[in-house]
Amino acid sequence: MIDSTRLESLRKIPAVNQLLALPLLSSWVERTSRGFVVAQIQTVLEEIRNTIRAGGENPVTGTSSGSLEHLLDQRLRDRLRPALRVLINATGVLLHTNLGRAPLSEASQESLSAVSSQYTNLEYDLLSGGRSHRDNLVEPQLKEILGCEAATVVNNNAAAVFLILNTLAAGKEVIVSRGELVEIGGSFRIPDILERSGAILREVGTTNKTRVQDYLAAINADTALILRVHPSNYRLHGFTHRPDLKELLELARDRRLPLVEDIGSGCLLDLKPFGISDEPIAQESLAAGVDLVSFSCDKLLGGPQAGVIAGASRWIERLRKNPLMRTYRVEKLIYSSLEATLASYRTGRALKEIPVLRMMSITHAEIQARVRAFVQEAGKRLTGEIRLDLIDGCSVVGGGSCPDVSLPTTLIALVSEKRSAATLESRLRAQDPPVIVRVEQDRALIDLRTVFPFQEAALLDAICSVL
């Protein structure tokens, strides 16, 4: 039995048509459809009725039309908010896997915008008028940059490794060092990929030491290839040994076996000036004679998520003929973005045009200048409730790349006597656009290295909003 007070509250709930006539909701009808708005109104009204029937407090004071109007307006906004959203990465992690890894260059964005909304020559030869292969869109650029005979593109580097092994080593043995049996993001492990490909794993050496003699001893009539894997997301230090590339190449040539190298992060430039000295460069491996090299495109290369396989034509052609190739091929947006990214390498402007490389090359002095200017502007708007402290710190490459590399930076620590670092972090994350910071030693820290200059105004607005 519902008491009279609750009955009165239920009677005061406005009708759907009454709410539809309100300005905010009528504008929603024009922008979407009457059916969509009515469905949201009915859902909210039923939630209010259920709350009242259960004896709870009315979620909308007095259930007035005005307060309901704003509640419904917010509900409609939330209902249509994209799940994939733009945010501000203030963590200082350049290739943050959870935040989409490498942001794309302006040229890549422009190409995506043009190609996504119109028809394209994805598999059409404009000269002959006949059918073409989609790899022709980027293979010439890859051959020019990498100095290889042929190249193909798949949807990521794990797919690249799988396709190589399935094509060249199904039912046969693949020799790989125990120290290279890495686990990549999402708990995917090289041994698991090997097993699923149909290849048979032949481990050699130990975790910390593998010599070329270990490879030699493992070679037999069932050996299909030698696999060398760059441990992108970890490093071994101390009592260690790993055969250099020249040793493995000599062994592979002597035994007439293909040598395949997974270099991981897709480094195409010498990054030693920025403290990155142990990332293999694709061009150097190919020039040395590696038969096939595979790598990611959305890490140090700075492009979209994809995997490149480059090397000798005879091996690439076998990969293209594998029926599984169709399951791993990429679509027009990836080719468009990758081609625009590669253009920056061809013109020698990669360090200036590709965001992750530009962020990496920012000097500590440049970061300090940006930080000081930001804090000075913030001082005009912030109250005494929160202050911004400057502390020395480090940015990191992330994304399973360069685990030993740290880039000197100046961090902004948000300090509040009323709110904990966890509270500040969660409130910044709730802003629009969301701001993602890192929390260390009970301090919410902002690193401007990964914040685009055009985002600084929105970042300052968000900091002011959390108050």
Side-chain angles (χ1 to χ4, degrees):
M1 184 76 133
I2 299 177
D3 60 37
S4 58
T5 302
R6 278 182 281 172
L7 279 173
E8 184 62 25
S9 295
L10 289 170
R11 291 192 189 100
K12 288 182 179 179
I13 296 174
V16 172
N17 286 340
Q18 184 180 348
L19 293 170
L20 283 171
L22 297 172
L24 284 176
L25 299 182
S26 63
S27 69
W28 272 107
V29 172
E30 293 176 4
R31 283 179 283 161
T32 57
S33 70
R34 179 184 172 87
F36 175 76
V37 177
V38 167
Q40 305 312 308
I41 292 174
Q42 290 173 334
T43 298
V44 171
L45 294 185
E46 188 60 26
E47 290 173 1
I48 292 173
R49 292 189 189 99
N50 290 337
T51 299
I52 293 172
R53 293 188 188 108
E57 292 189 11
N58 192 335
V60 181
T61 306
T63 54
S64 66
S65 297
S67 54
L68 259 178
E69 181 182 19
H70 291 289
L71 173 66
L72 288 163
D73 178 60
Q74 187 58 53
R75 178 64 67 90
L76 286 160
R77 291 177 189 277
D78 293 342
R79 184 76 173 77
L80 291 179
R81 177 177 289 156
L84 184 62
R85 298 169 60 191
V86 170
L87 52 75
I88 297 174
N89 174 15
T91 65
V93 181
L94 279 65
L95 295 171
H96 200 306
T97 299
N98 297 345
L99 306 186
R101 288 190 180 156
L104 299 176
S105 67
E106 290 183 13
S108 181
Q109 296 169 45
E110 291 169 2
S111 180
L112 281 171
S113 178
V115 166
S116 63
S117 59
Q118 302 175 61
Y119 295 105
T120 69
N121 61 321
L122 177 65
E123 292 186 353
Y124 184 79
D125 189 322
L126 293 171
L127 292 177
S128 69
R131 183 164 184 166
S132 177
H133 194 288
R134 60 183 63 195
D135 264 354
N136 292 340
L137 298 169
V138 295
E139 186 180 34
Q141 294 90 320
L142 287 167
K143 289 165 64 175
E144 177 186 337
I145 295 167
L146 301 176
C148 58
E149 291 182 357
T152 189
V153 180
V154 292
N155 55 13
N156 58 38
N157 191 41
V161 174
F162 183 96
L163 187 66
I164 292 169
L165 297 176
N166 179 264
T167 305
L168 306 184
K172 290 185 170 292
E173 292 187 359
V174 172
I175 302 176
V176 61
S177 168
R178 285 187 174 88
E180 298 174 1
L181 295 176
V182 300
E183 177 177 309
I184 57 179
S187 300
F188 290 101
R189 296 177 173 180
I190 289 293
D192 296 338
I193 294 174
L194 271 161
E195 180 182 355
R196 293 286 182 174
S197 72
I200 301 167
L201 173 63
R202 184 69 181 268
E203 301 178 31
V204 297
T206 62
T207 302
N208 61 319
K209 281 205 170 193
T210 303
R211 295 178 174 82
V212 72
Q213 290 83 357
D214 296 318
Y215 289 88
L216 177 60
I219 294 173
N220 60 65
D222 290 326
T223 304
L225 61 85
I226 298 173
L227 176 64
R228 178 180 170 92
V229 181
H230 177 61
S232 298
N233 54 7
Y234 80 99
R235 295 291 183 270
L236 288 174
H237 298 284
F239 192 58
T240 64
H241 180 78
R242 184 189 190 211
D244 61 34
L245 189 57
K246 182 180 178 181
E247 288 181 285
L248 284 183
L249 279 166
E250 289 176 353
L251 174 63
R253 294 293 171 268
D254 182 62
R255 294 309 174 102
R256 297 184 179 180
L257 293 171
L259 176 61
V260 176
E261 186 177 21
D262 168 11
I263 68 169
S265 299
C267 184
L268 304 187
L269 295 177
D270 182 1
L271 300 179
K272 292 186 183 70
F274 315 119
I276 299 173
S277 58
D278 60 351
E279 283 291 326
I281 300 173
Q283 296 95 313
E284 293 180 355
S285 292
L286 289 163
V290 174
D291 294 278
L292 288 175
V293 168
S294 74
F295 53 84
S296 297
C297 295
D298 59 345
K299 295 182 180 179
L300 292 177
L301 189 144
Q305 178 180 303
V308 166
I309 308 171
S313 297
R314 63 182 179 129
W315 303 120
I316 296 293
E317 287 308 313
R318 286 183 60 180
L319 298 179
R320 287 187 176 133
K321 291 176 182 177
N322 188 327
L324 288 176
M325 183 70 188
R326 189 173 182 85
T327 69
Y328 294 136
R329 71 179 186 177
V330 299
E331 47 97 51
K332 61 183 180 183
L333 298 183
I334 299 298
Y335 280 109
S336 169
S337 175
L338 181 57
E339 182 181 17
T341 304
L342 293 174
S344 294
Y345 286 92
R346 295 173 69 199
T347 59
R349 295 183 58 82
L351 287 174
K352 296 180 179 179
E353 296 178 347
I354 295 178
V356 67
L357 297 179
R358 192 168 63 238
M359 291 174 183
M360 196 180 299
S361 64
I362 297 173
T363 66
H364 193 188
E366 290 170 329
I367 287 287
Q368 284 180 323
R370 282 184 63 189
V371 166
R372 291 193 185 103
F374 183 87
V375 171
Q376 184 177 8
E377 185 64 26
K380 301 173 184 177
R381 298 177 55 183
L382 294 176
T383 66
E385 181 186 333
I386 192 169
R387 73 174 192 270
L388 306 183
D389 290 347
L390 305 188
I391 60 175
D392 290 332
C394 291
S395 311
V396 296
V397 177
S401 303
C402 317
D404 285 344
V405 176
S406 57
L407 307 170
T409 191
T410 297
L411 302 170
I412 302 172
L414 305 183
V415 181
S416 171
E417 295 182 359
K418 296 183 178 180
R419 295 177 175 87
S420 68
T423 299
L424 293 172
E425 182 274 333
S426 64
R427 291 195 176 188
L428 286 168
R429 189 165 22 93
Q431 297 300 305
D432 188 14
V435 177
I436 313 300
V437 300
R438 70 186 198 236
V439 176
E440 293 177 1
Q441 298 177 347
D442 199 32
R443 294 179 300 190
L445 302 176
I446 289 172
D447 188 343
L448 290 185
R449 185 184 293 275
T450 50
V451 177
F452 292 96
F454 69 83
Q455 293 178 320
E456 289 185 13
L459 173 60
L460 182 53
D461 287 343
I463 292 172
C464 293
S465 296
V466 303
L467 302 180

